[in-house]
Structure formats: structure tokens, C-alpha cells
Amino acid sequence: MTDATGDGGQVQGAAIEDYLAELRTFPPPEEFARSALVSDRTMYEQAEADPEEFWAAQARALTWFEPWDQVLDWQLPFARWFIGGRLNVAFNCLDRHVEAGIGDKVAFYFEGEPGDRRTITYAQLLDEVGRCANALRSLGIERGDRVAIYMPMIPELPVAMLACARIGAAHSVVFGGFSADALRDRIEDASARLLITADGGWRRGHAVELKANADHALSSGARSIENVLVVRRLGDAAGNLVMQEGRDHWWHELVSGQDPHSPAEAMDAEDLLFLLYTSGTTARPKGIMHTTGGYLTQVAFTHRTVFDLKPETDVYWCAADIGWVTGHSYIVYGPLANGATSVLYEGTPDFPGRDRWWSIIERYGVTTLYTAPTAIRTFMKWGTEYPAAHDLSSLRMLGSVGEPINPEAWIWYWQQIGGGRCPVVDTWWQTETGAIMISPLPGVTTLKPGSATFPLPGIGAEVVDDAGRKLERGGGYLTLTRPWPAMLRGIYGDPERYRQTYWSRFEGRYFAGDGAKVDDDGYLWLLGRVDDVMNVSGHRVSTTEVESALVDHPSVAEAAVVGANDATTGQVIIAFVTLKLGLEVGHEHAEVLRAHVVEKIGAIARPRVVIFTDDLPKTRSGKIMRRLLRDVAEGRDLGDTTTLADPAVVAELRRRAATGSGEE
Ligand code: WTA
């Protein structure tokens, strides 16, 4: 929206103002809708009429050892779902499929970064999980214990998680890119008794020595660990590997010799399934608690409906890392509960070449790809020749998660990867929500590029203003209005922090920390974290909208904007911009981009400074770290940078910021 004042025509004092209007719409392709699992609004209506009965119906799709007596007990902010019900997550992911006769079906096509491949069927996975479960028991692990897992993206990682689930121990997976200190802190917070790790893994052609990191973690604390189980992945490529007598055990020695039969514990629906620590950028990490019955119900339901799963024919690939919640819910538990066939890939998208992903899609005939905007923008930067060199015609569905997807990145994904025929589902959720909450259903929803569209059936989500009043239109705070089955049950060991963090800002509502707006058609648009919202001359401008305006320019692959303090206007907008590779632009290009933002949004959003950069500082899960960019923009000392994927990026940015490139 453009107007001469740059006000975007909005009412002053809105929680977050709403400037960018995206008018393109994409109804479900006719053929897709015809064969879609969900092709009309009946499910939304049923869920709205009786949400508890709706979720109970979804839960019945699982196998329960004992039925529940009560669907929901809601003592705000503490929920219990499927009370009295008993089930086992590993049984639901494995045994029941084998019993149903699909044991020979492929569960995972694994591809290691060096090019090694393994095909693992449901029957094989069940046997390996049974052996691992017995190995854990032999090490004294019991129902109710916590097990830390620090592994590369190899099949033994889901095996270890499922083995824990089978015997009723909760896992705490620590992303393999985290440091020894991060691992130690997480082990200590959970008092884990066992650590499962590997000698290492492959990343961009280099051996990452996980066992050596684990040894550092254990020598500096983490006294609760009694045993360490070690997968041999690198073999001779692992440098100075030391196995400590009595504590460390090789997987191939301890697990391989076990009996594959291992009883699945009948767990209570509310027993802890896992802890996953959110890497807060400042505070102590929070151990997010997920339990058994509600979690599995919602991840299975969402995986099936959001991706329109056809388990007999689909080859599904979620390209996240299992160390994040996306991998827990949509590489391991959702797809396996649904008996899907998935791809599991160990490494980076650019090894050995920038077409690695597209060669994987071609080789396995991937039908469904689920990835993050950061990856899509990286591919945009590299150019279209890499996907164009491969046959991607097997794809029929695309998904996005992790950050707001800029409309131009959405269009690029839809066109260059999906060939203009695949619905793109933009899925909003969090570690805390456990499963997808806001997303299109591809056979029903008319898509708008950049919008996560509507809450899924059974989910209550509303945008509210500063006072917590529901907004029918415009920008504010995204809140959830009722409990959902996969919701976090708390922060491990700290119920008060749980209440404070999520339930104190707005009475009776879960506040997710994200800004969002509602458009005239009721579509939801995520506007980024509210901590990142900029205040320019009294207007609250969302970082996402200005970034999307920049990415809208054909030269731009990725952009991050921050507000830097300014005596006159409160904050001025500083833009960090990555151009598509191979473009020749002069220094006057900064002015071109500033003018483009003014045209798309209005003068209020004109960046004062544009800094060009080859890379942006990101967390290891790919989210742009705007806090660091603010520090750079304001010339401050950088705070904690431990969650940064590549610290060199910030050093280079500071140099560029100091030399004032692109200053108005
Ligand atoms: C952001 C990842 C916009 C959001 C599953 C959220 C998104 C945080 C989207 C959670 C999306 C995730 N559109 N923003 N589709 N998906 N986010 O815990 O800020 O790693 O609060 O979970 O990512 O990140 P987390």
C-alpha cells in the first residue's frame, strides 16, 4: 500500500501497522482438489462445533492399549489430554504397521553426505528399535529416565528416539551443531543418565567429531551420565577417539547382539515423551516438555492432512534436522505414525554441488518437500540453473516452516521448484506448540503467497491488540485461544516460568511472541517476533513487511531489517541485503532498493542505510538473528553469539557497517 504520507493509510497507535498488500491468489489446482484427503470445509465445521470430539476422533486413528476416560482436563494453563488412555509411541510408529502387513514398505531412504545410501523398511526399523531398546535396558535405563541424544542425521538417530519411546524413557535430542557447553547444560538440566552419540558425522565434506565434543561436555560436568552409547559413523575419519572403559560402549557391539523383540511399555497418555530445549538467544534454555497421546495425535493428524499424505505412493522429504522440533514431529513421529515413506539426508545442500537436493528429489521421486524460507532464499541466491538441471516432476506438494516466507520467495518456490503445479503450504507453529497450528489445507484453501492462511481445524488462534482485544482486521499479537493436544505441558522443572513466559501477557490466552495481521478476507500473515518490531516516528513497522518489499526487487535474494536508535525518529531502518549471485550492481543500487521499498510500502519504511552482504547472521536452525544486526547497526559490543551458525559473518558486517557502505 502506498500513499504520499507514508502512513499506509493506517490508524495511528495500532499494535503493529499493516502496510504490505499481496493480491495474488492461488486456488487449489482442480485435479489436486479432486483427489485430496480433505477437499471441503466439513472438517472445519465439525471441529468448530465440538473441538474435543474432533480431537478424540483424530486420536482414535492411533492404536491405544487402554482407551481414555476423559478427552481433556483444562486447568489454565495446564492441560491434560486423553486422561487414563495408554499407548506406546514406538508401537504406533512401527509394530502396528508391520502387523498390518506393510513391514516391507520403506520407512526411510537414507542418504549420507558422502553418498552412502541405505534403504530401511518398517520391519527392519522395528527390529533395530527393539535391539536398541534392549540395549538401553541392559544399561539400566528404565521407564521415567531421561536420555540425551547428540547425533548426526543418520538412521540410528530416529532408532534411538524410538527405542526411548518404546521403554518409556524421555529423550532430549541436542542438535549436533551445538557446542560441548550447550550439551552439558542440557544434560544437567534434564539429569540424563545415558548419552547416545556417534564418533561424528559429515558436514560439507568435513568430519564433525561429536564424540570429542561429548567428552568435553562430560569432563566439565554432566555428572548424571553413567553410560555413553557411540555409533560408528566416521570410522577411520574420526581423529582422536577415546573410548572410556566402563562408560563408553560401541553401538555395533552392544546393540547388534540384542534380541530384536522388546515389549513396548504401555505409557500413560500424559507421560513425558521428550524434552526439547529452545535456544533462547539471551536467557537460559527452556526444556520444553511434550507428552505421549496428545502429541502423537496432533503430529499424525497434521502430517496427514497438511501434506495430503498418500502413504502408498508419496515419497516425503522434510529437509530439517531432527535436532529441531520440525525434525521430531515431521521426520520422525508424524510420518512414521502414518506409515509414510521418507527421505533422510545427512548433509548440506551444497555438497558436493549446489544441486544436491534436486538430485535427491530426482533419485527417489520425492513427491512432497518441506523446508524453510532460509533454504529457499539461499537457492534463489544461487540461481535457477541448479534445480532446472534435474527432473523435479515427481513433486506434487511443497511446504515451508520456520520464518515468515516472503511473497517473492514463495513465488520462486512455487514456480522454480514446484513447476507452477504444486500447492505451497506455509505452516506456522513452534517448538512449544509441538505440531502445525496455522496452515492451509492444500485441497481446500486458496493460497496467498506469504500468508499461513487459517488455523487448522480444532485450533483457536486470534490476533489481539495491546489490551488483548480481538482484532478483526489489522496487525497485532498472535494468540492461541484454547488448549491443543500437542501443546507443551510445561518447562522442565519450572512451572512458574511456563506460566510467566506464555500465559501472562494476555488473560486466558497463550501468547506466542509473534506479531501477525488479519487481512480483509480473514487470512493470517505472520509479521515476525514482536521483539523485532521497529518503531519509526511512532509507527510500529514489522520487519517482515519491509524485508518482503526488499525481496520483491528482482535483484534481491534475502534481506534483514532492524531498527537502530535515532534521536529524531525513535528508530531508523537499517537494511542488510544479499543480492542474487552474479549480479553486477553499482553503489547507486542502495538508492534503487530504498525507492522500491517506498513504492511498495511508503516513505515511512524507507531504509536509512542499506548494507550489502553475502550472508546474514543466522541461528543454526536458519533464523535471522536480528538482535545481532541491531548491535552491529548501533555499533555495540555483540552479546552472546554462541547460537550463531557462522560467527565470521558478523565480523564482516561490522566492517561494512563501520565503513558506511550504502549510507543515504
Ligand atoms: C517462527 C519451528 C512465520 C515464529 C517450527 C515462531 C514462523 C518460531 C513460521 C518458532 C511461519 C515458524 N511463518 N513464522 N510459517 N514457522 N515461525 O520453535 O517466529 O524453532 O514463533 O519452531 O518460528 O520456531 P521454532
Side-chain angles (χ1 to χ4, degrees):
M1 231 175 275
T2 311
D3 78 2
T5 64
D7 278 349
Q10 297 304 302
V11 188
Q12 289 249 7
I16 303 174
E17 292 171 39
D18 154 20
Y19 295 103
L20 202 64
E22 171 58 55
L23 300 174
R24 291 168 284 195
T25 57
F26 297 78
E30 232 169 78
E31 210 189 304
F32 191 100
R34 239 195 324 274
S35 63
L37 237 51
V38 185
S39 56
D40 64 32
R41 302 199 48 84
T42 319
M43 187 185 269
Y44 288 95
E45 287 154 15
Q46 285 169 348
E48 234 9 72
D50 190 347
E52 285 185 32
E53 174 44 35
F54 170 77
W55 286 119
Q58 305 316 320
R60 279 181 219 115
L62 302 175
T63 301
W64 294 74
F65 298 148
E66 295 278 347
W68 57 87
D69 320 307
Q70 190 187 334
V71 176
L72 171 65
D73 173 47
W74 178 222
Q75 310 284 337
L76 195 145
F78 296 99
R80 294 187 303 146
W81 284 86
F82 309 116
I83 296 155
R86 292 192 167 261
L87 75 167
N88 184 281
V89 166
F91 184 93
N92 272 279
C93 290
L94 303 168
D95 306 59
R96 64 171 181 152
H97 302 317
V98 175
E99 286 173 10
I102 61 161
D104 290 339
K105 187 175 177 189
V106 175
F108 287 117
Y109 290 113
F110 167 69
E111 185 156 317
E113 196 189 73
D116 53 317
R117 289 176 203 148
R118 282 157 68 187
T119 299
I120 301 158
T121 65
Y122 274 91
Q124 290 167 337
L125 195 58
L126 173 60
D127 281 0
E128 189 66 5
V129 167
R131 278 190 280 265
C132 183
N134 285 332
L136 301 191
R137 286 193 175 107
S138 79
L139 295 173
I141 300 302
E142 294 172 358
R143 184 175 176 142
D145 284 337
R146 269 88 48 219
V147 173
I149 301 180
Y150 182 61
M151 283 172 82
M153 282 277 288
I154 55 176
E156 287 80 0
L157 171 51
V159 168
M161 294 162 74
L162 290 159
C164 289
R166 193 165 192 88
I167 68 173
H171 56 70
S172 164
V173 178
V174 179
F175 171 58
F178 275 137
S179 65
D181 287 358
L183 174 61
R184 182 200 57 216
D185 294 348
R186 286 158 176 75
I187 289 173
E188 288 183 347
D189 189 79
S191 307
R193 294 181 59 202
L194 172 71
L195 171 63
I196 309 179
T197 184
D199 55 356
W202 293 101
R203 194 165 172 80
R204 205 164 277 127
H206 298 289
V208 180
E209 292 178 20
L210 293 175
K211 174 63 164 63
N213 282 353
D215 287 341
H216 283 302
L218 298 186
S219 62
S220 65
R223 303 268 176 262
S224 56
I225 294 290
E226 297 158 10
N227 289 286
V228 181
L229 184 56
V230 187
V231 176
R232 186 152 72 193
R233 166 70 182 143
L234 296 176
D236 294 341
N240 43 2
L241 188 112
V242 186
M243 293 292 278
Q244 185 178 309
E245 186 69 36
R247 184 194 73 180
D248 298 352
H249 314 268
W250 282 114
W251 177 292
H252 58 269
E253 289 170 2
L254 187 70
V255 174
S256 309
Q258 302 284 334
D259 183 352
H261 299 286
S262 174
E265 290 280 324
M267 302 304 290
D268 189 276
E270 282 297 327
D271 276 335
L272 188 64
L273 177 65
F274 66 83
L275 295 176
L276 186 56
Y277 286 82
T278 54
S279 44
T281 46
T282 45
R284 190 163 52 88
K286 305 187 279 281
I288 302 299
M289 296 164 66
H290 283 291
T291 58
T292 301
Y295 173 80
L296 196 65
T297 296
Q298 196 180 335
V299 295
F301 164 72
T302 50
H303 176 255
R304 198 164 55 237
T305 51
V306 169
F307 298 104
D308 186 47
L309 182 70
K310 304 287 184 330
E312 286 79 37
T313 46
D314 276 342
V315 178
Y316 162 89
W317 183 20
C318 168
D321 192 288
I322 292 177
W324 310 119
V325 74
T326 305
H328 280 59
S329 299
Y330 297 105
I331 297 178
V332 182
Y333 292 118
L336 294 176
N338 289 330
T341 294
S342 300
V343 169
L344 182 66
Y345 171 57
E346 177 185 25
T348 58
D350 54 352
F351 189 85
R354 286 175 171 172
D355 65 342
R356 184 65 186 268
W357 279 25
W358 320 123
S359 80
I360 290 175
I361 289 177
E362 186 169 14
R363 173 168 315 112
Y364 302 103
V366 170
T367 57
T368 310
L369 177 66
Y370 189 29
T371 184
T374 180
I376 297 163
R377 293 184 304 245
T378 301
F379 297 132
M380 283 173 76
K381 175 170 92 178
W382 291 344
T384 56
E385 70 258 38
Y386 302 103
H390 292 273
D391 178 4
L392 306 181
S393 62
S394 57
L395 286 171
R396 65 179 198 90
M397 270 265 0
L398 301 173
S400 170
V401 59
E403 281 185 294
I405 179 165
N406 319 105
E408 267 340 286
W410 192 104
I411 294 284
W412 190 93
Y413 193 30
W414 178 79
Q415 185 64 57
Q416 303 299 333
I417 307 307
R421 68 179 183 278
C422 308
V424 176
V425 289
D426 174 11
T427 64
W428 178 88
W429 58 296
Q430 306 178 298
T431 304
E432 291 87 341
T433 70
I436 299 172
M437 303 292 283
I438 301 176
S439 165
L441 289 182
V444 183
T445 315
T446 292
L447 307 172
K448 295 190 184 187
S451 168
T453 72
F454 304 102
L456 287 175
I459 301 299
E462 287 174 359
V463 178
V464 300
D465 67 11
D466 280 307
R469 283 177 305 240
K470 180 183 176 187
L471 293 172
E472 300 292 344
R473 169 77 183 81
Y477 307 92
L478 179 64
T479 63
L480 301 171
T481 56
R482 54 169 108 109
W484 61 100
M487 70 188 275
L488 76 164
R489 297 304 195 263
I491 295 172
Y492 193 65
D494 202 344
E496 188 44 37
R497 191 176 177 202
Y498 164 67
R499 190 192 295 274
Q500 267 299 323
T501 309
Y502 304 107
W503 298 91
S504 64
R505 175 72 177 81
F506 300 107
E507 167 107 44
R509 293 170 184 268
Y510 171 92
F511 173 49
D514 286 340
K517 70 178 184 187
V518 191
D519 74 10
D520 290 337
D521 303 320
Y523 280 65
L524 292 168
W525 300 75
L526 274 299
L527 296 177
R529 308 289 299 171
V530 293
D531 312 343
D532 291 333
V533 167
M534 303 174 289
N535 191 326
V536 185
S537 307
H539 297 274
R540 285 152 93 173
V541 181
S542 110
T543 51
T544 301
E545 294 206 318
V546 181
E547 288 161 7
S548 290
L550 285 161
V551 176
D552 181 74
H553 192 273
S555 66
V556 175
E558 183 154 49
V561 306
V562 297
N565 288 331
D566 180 87
T568 329
T569 55
Q571 289 187 316
V572 291
I573 298 178
I574 313 287
F576 297 83
V577 170
T578 302
L579 297 174
K580 291 178 183 162
L581 292 183
L583 286 179
E584 296 287 335
V585 291
H587 68 274
E588 72 286 358
H589 197 60
E591 188 42 42
V592 172
L593 295 183
R594 272 196 290 265
H596 191 73
V597 174
V598 173
E599 187 197 323
K600 294 294 289 185
I601 294 184
I604 187 77
R606 179 206 301 272
R608 167 77 59 85
V609 178
V610 177
I611 297 170
F612 293 103
T613 171
D614 295 338
D615 262 308
L616 291 164
K618 292 185 183 159
T619 64
R620 291 165 182 274
S621 66
K623 295 188 209 300
I624 296 170
M625 286 184 75
R626 292 181 187 73
R627 176 184 66 77
L628 278 182
L629 290 173
R630 270 196 303 274
D631 291 343
V632 169
E634 294 178 349
R636 248 198 317 279
D637 265 0
L638 304 182
D640 180 14
T641 57
T642 46
T643 46
L644 200 60
D646 178 6
V649 171
V650 191
E652 174 60 18
L653 275 177
R654 299 190 77 167
R655 199 185 60 72
R656 292 191 188 201
T659 56
S661 72
E663 186 94 31
E664 190 170 40

